């Protein structure tokens, strides 16, 4: 099995991407697939192009994959964090 390159967090990453990188070894595609979210939708969320609207089952699976025990651990917005000037 090929070794995965785990990308380092970067300034401007979305809070969802930061959690994915810090808490899993999953790629964006793998996380989206496991949560029943189309890859393009996931990418629009983390780029800030659209606001996340998850079904209850998607929310439960996302929390499970990210090892979130309480829904208030999820960020309010998945869009990238604007760099402070």
């Amino acid at each position: 099995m090929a070794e995965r390159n785990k990308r380092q967090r970067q300034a401007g990453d979305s809070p969802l991407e930061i959690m994915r990188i810090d808490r899993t070894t999953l790629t964006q595609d793998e996380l989206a697939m496991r949560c029943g979210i189309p890859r393009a939708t996931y990418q629009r969320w983390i780029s800030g192009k659209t606001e996340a609207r998850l079904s209850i089952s998607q929310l439960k699976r996302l929390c499970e994959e990210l090892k979130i025990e309480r829904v208030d651990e999820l960020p309010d917005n998945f869009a990238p964090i604007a760099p402070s000037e």
Side-chain angles (χ1 to χ4, degrees):
M1 186 176 196
E3 184 176 324
R4 295 184 190 191
N5 293 330
K6 192 167 184 181
R7 184 174 72 81
Q8 296 293 316
R9 289 182 359 184
Q10 298 177 4
D13 272 346
S14 84
L16 184 58
E17 270 296 274
I18 292 169
M19 293 178 92
R20 179 188 65 81
I21 292 165
D22 288 350
R23 296 178 179 210
T24 77
T25 59
L26 300 173
T27 65
Q28 289 179 358
D29 288 348
E30 291 168 333
L31 178 61
M33 183 180 71
R34 288 182 181 204
C35 296
I37 300 164
R39 178 178 47 95
T41 299
Y42 178 88
Q43 290 174 334
R44 284 192 299 272
W45 293 349
I46 64 171
S47 70
K49 290 180 182 174
T50 60
E51 185 175 326
R53 295 179 190 215
L54 293 90
S55 69
I56 296 297
S57 63
Q58 289 170 328
L59 179 61
K60 286 179 178 180
R61 289 186 291 209
L62 183 63
C63 287
E64 183 179 309
E65 293 296 335
L66 296 176
K67 300 164 186 75
I68 294 172
E69 294 182 10
R70 296 180 7 204
V71 74
D72 63 350
E73 293 177 44
L74 276 172
D76 292 333
N77 190 335
F78 294 162
I81 301 167
S84 54
E85 296 183 54

